[in-house]
């Protein structure tokens, strides 16, 4: 946004249509999704809400219960042949975890994932944990926010 005009995104290349539909509430102009995933790439539903009723952020910006739930979900994905690979096993799905409460939470989740999955699985799925800046210009097949 500039003082005398707006520069708005009109087309989106990275996200599938249901994710773009969610984002349109923040735009005054139409936002056209251009990404059409192949049948093998598609995960239905593309958006999943997970409520963690006992999650609490501590004073040091860590939510241990949220981290435990994310680790359990990543483990479930990795153990599922239909979710862990794209197509008939040609490529492993990559996974990203974006923490909106800060880098300490991302670091905790990263440590817990390494402990639960091991380095080989983390590397195989290109698992990355960080804040939103970490993922600028970066893509993952599955993203936890």
């Amino acid at each position: 946004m500039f003082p005398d005009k707006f520069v708005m995104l009109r087309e989106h290349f990275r996200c599938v249509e249901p994710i773009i539909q969610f984002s349109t509430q923040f735009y005054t102009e139409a936002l056209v999704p251009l990404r059409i995933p192949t049948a093998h790439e598609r995960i239905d539903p593309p958006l999943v809400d997970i409520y963690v009723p006992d999650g609490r952020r501590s004073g040091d910006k860590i939510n241990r219960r949220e981290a435990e739930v994310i680790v359990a979900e990543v483990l479930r994905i990795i153990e599922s042949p239909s979710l862990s690979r794209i197509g008939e096993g040609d490529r492993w799905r990559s996974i990203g975890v974006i923490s909106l409460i800060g880098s300490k939470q991302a670091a905790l989740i990263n440590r817990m994932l390494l402990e639960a999955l091991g380095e080989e699985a983390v590397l195989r799925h290109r698992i990355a944990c960080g804040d939103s800046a970490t993922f600028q210009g970066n893509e993952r097949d599955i993203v936890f926010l």
Side-chain angles (χ1 to χ4, degrees):
M1 185 170 89
F2 298 97
D4 62 337
K5 63 182 173 184
F6 287 95
V7 176
M8 297 296 287
L9 182 66
R10 292 180 191 222
E11 298 172 332
H12 200 291
F13 295 89
R14 292 186 179 175
C15 295
V16 294
E17 193 270 336
I19 295 172
I20 297 303
Q21 279 303 110
F22 171 81
S23 300
T24 58
Q25 65 184 313
F26 305 109
Y27 287 85
T28 56
E29 303 293 322
L31 185 59
V32 180
L34 298 179
R35 173 123 195 276
I36 301 173
T38 65
H40 294 301
E41 291 176 318
R42 198 169 298 132
I43 299 176
D44 287 316
L47 290 172
V48 177
D49 293 330
I50 299 173
Y51 178 55
V52 184
D54 54 340
R56 299 285 182 271
R57 183 172 55 185
S58 63
D60 58 354
K61 293 190 176 182
I62 286 188
N63 185 333
R64 183 161 292 280
R65 184 67 187 123
E66 176 190 70
E68 292 167 350
V69 169
I70 289 171
V71 170
E73 286 297 312
V74 170
L75 187 59
R76 186 181 66 79
I77 288 167
I78 287 176
E79 290 176 345
S80 167
S82 64
L83 291 174
S84 66
R85 291 180 182 250
I86 295 176
E88 300 298 316
D90 334 46
R91 184 171 75 79
W92 297 100
R93 288 193 199 272
S94 58
I95 300 172
V97 179
I98 303 172
S99 170
L100 297 180
I101 63 173
S103 58
K104 287 185 179 181
Q105 178 74 357
L108 171 66
I109 295 168
N110 192 58
R111 280 193 309 276
M112 291 173 70
L113 284 168
L114 275 168
E115 289 172 13
L117 308 173
E119 186 178 358
E120 182 183 325
V122 169
L123 292 173
R124 181 176 57 232
H125 290 278
R126 294 181 41 237
I127 297 175
C129 302
D131 58 14
S132 58
T134 303
F135 287 89
Q136 288 298 328
N138 233 330
E139 293 183 11
R140 291 296 186 268
D141 298 309
I142 298 172
V143 175
F144 288 84
L145 178 65

